[in-house]
Amino acid sequence: MHYIAMDEFQKPYVHMKDPDRVEELVTQLIKDGKSKLLVVTDFDRTLSRFMDNEGRKVPTCHGVLDIATILPEEYRKKAIATREHYYPLEMSNTLSREEKYQLMTDWWTSAHELLVECNLNRGDIAEMVRDAKVILREHSNIMFEMLEYYGVPLLIFSAGIGDILLEAIKLENLHSYQNVQVISNFMEFNDEDKLVGFKGELIHTYNKHEAAVHHPEYFERHKKRDNIILLGDTLGDLSMVDGMPYTKHTLTIGFLNDHIEQNLEMYKENFDIVLVSDETMDLPIAVLKKIL
């Protein structure tokens, strides 16, 4: 059976440089089955949507803060100006990975320092996420439910803000699944619930391979699960598996949301499957159904 002949692979927004390689990978994942599988996904504009049905860009975790009216206007102006400077550089196809690494470090450090100055209260996070209307890709709930039912771990590996990510998942009633682990930048609050900093090592788009080293207990627990389905929306997301000590077969699926003409060929060079302006989880679900 040719699995890439499935309807979900025939959509016009599905791109593959090497269909034979994808066929081989999917066949191997199906052969090895659910006991060998681990799903690793980014959050911003991967699990969450890039655009809603009205054409509004869905905010990222940091974007939630940029538009939060509960925060000072001066903070929002500075945060938006910082994002408008760095985002085109992140999406550039002329900068090297090393150059982007340093730029993303500068961006995230600046964003977090700005936020700490705002005297944010822990209790404000839920309201900010509700107001920002962060929504997940269509049928994400089906993927969560399938993985939970079949006991397959789901690792959400995010360079965003973990507290905001968890609140967004909670609003979709997907926060109680026992198979879900989140590695992200988590806020640190004092005894008065005021933000005073961030816990642990900084995670940005281009250092996720380093972040994996700081969570050896998770990967040791799942060391027999060396078949990976990786979901991401930037080339930096591919590094999510680089720090994992146990990997054998990895199927990479990239969501190309923006700067499409500029980046399509580069995404096809790096991801096994590229989904262009697809706001659903339909193709990953189709693959998972065959494996599970």
Side-chain angles (χ1 to χ4, degrees):
M1 178 179 180
H2 294 289
Y3 294 106
I4 63 171
M6 292 188 294
D7 289 345
E8 288 80 6
F9 280 88
Q10 306 309 309
K11 305 293 185 183
Y13 52 75
V14 178
H15 298 261
M16 294 174 284
K17 178 188 176 184
D18 188 349
D20 290 340
R21 169 181 159 77
V22 174
E23 179 71 36
E24 183 179 325
L25 272 172
V26 172
T27 300
Q28 187 64 53
L29 296 181
I30 292 169
K31 178 183 177 183
D32 290 347
K34 62 185 180 183
S35 65
K36 300 280 285 180
L37 184 64
L38 173 66
V39 178
V40 181
T41 181
D42 175 47
F43 182 77
D44 287 324
R45 294 173 173 170
T46 298
L47 262 183
S48 69
R49 292 181 61 156
F50 177 71
M51 199 85 73
D52 68 13
N53 293 335
E54 283 70 50
R56 176 191 68 107
K57 280 189 178 180
V58 174
T60 63
C61 290
H62 285 96
V64 168
L65 301 166
D66 295 352
I67 61 174
T69 56
I70 200 166
L71 295 177
E73 184 178 355
E74 188 62 26
Y75 162 80
R76 298 201 304 274
K77 286 180 179 178
K78 289 180 180 178
I80 290 170
T82 302
R83 172 162 50 85
E84 289 178 347
H85 171 71
Y86 282 106
Y87 180 64
L89 299 174
E90 180 185 12
M91 298 305 296
S92 169
N93 63 357
T94 59
L95 294 173
S96 70
R97 193 157 171 165
E98 291 73 24
E99 289 172 311
K100 288 186 178 185
Y101 181 104
Q102 186 56 53
L103 286 166
M104 296 305 103
T105 300
D106 295 343
W107 182 6
W108 261 249
T109 301
S110 173
H112 290 179
E113 288 175 350
L114 269 176
L115 184 59
V116 170
E117 294 173 7
C118 292
N119 212 23
L120 176 70
N121 189 287
R122 189 199 304 264
D124 296 332
I125 296 173
E127 179 183 344
M128 291 192 301
V129 175
R130 281 196 304 272
D131 290 347
K133 296 181 173 62
V134 178
I135 53 177
L136 304 189
R137 290 188 186 272
E138 286 187 45
H139 308 137
S140 291
N141 62 313
I142 295 174
M143 185 178 78
F144 272 72
E145 290 164 5
M146 286 174 62
L147 295 175
E148 165 77 353
Y149 182 81
Y150 288 102
V152 175
L154 172 61
L155 175 61
I156 303 175
F157 209 155
S158 173
I161 298 177
D163 309 76
I164 291 175
L165 182 166
L166 289 175
E167 194 61 40
I169 291 175
K170 185 177 180 181
L171 288 175
E172 301 257 3
N173 294 316
L174 300 175
H175 61 292
S176 61
Y177 292 99
Q178 298 301 307
N179 63 319
V180 177
Q181 172 83 18
V182 176
I183 296 177
S184 187
N185 298 298
F186 280 94
M187 296 174 173
E188 186 168 7
F189 297 91
N190 64 17
D191 293 340
E192 298 176 345
D193 279 346
K194 298 294 184 183
L195 177 67
V196 294
F198 283 80
K199 301 174 183 176
E201 301 294 324
L202 175 71
I203 302 174
H204 61 67
T205 316
Y206 281 85
N207 75 342
K208 290 184 175 180
H209 61 293
E210 296 175 2
V213 176
H214 299 293
H215 298 271
E217 70 290 340
Y218 180 82
F219 300 108
E220 185 64 27
R221 188 162 73 247
H222 297 302
K223 64 183 180 181
K224 293 183 179 180
R225 295 182 177 275
D226 50 9
N227 287 347
I228 313 295
I229 294 179
L230 180 148
L231 310 177
D233 73 303
T234 71
L235 298 183
D237 289 329
L238 292 164
S239 72
M240 291 190 290
V241 298
D242 291 348
M244 296 181 187
Y246 311 104
T247 57
K248 190 173 183 181
H249 305 290
T250 301
L251 175 69
T252 60
I253 302 175
F255 293 89
L256 179 53
N257 304 302
D258 204 6
H259 299 79
I260 292 166
E261 289 186 14
Q262 172 185 330
N263 287 316
L264 179 56
E265 290 307 314
M266 183 167 59
Y267 271 56
K268 287 169 65 177
E269 286 289 332
N270 288 278
F271 286 97
D272 297 310
I273 303 168
V274 180
L275 305 176
V276 175
S277 299
D278 176 20
E279 298 290 354
T280 77
M281 277 293 174
D282 290 348
L283 189 139
I285 288 170
V287 174
L288 286 170
K289 281 181 177 179
K290 294 295 183 182
I291 299 171
L292 302 179

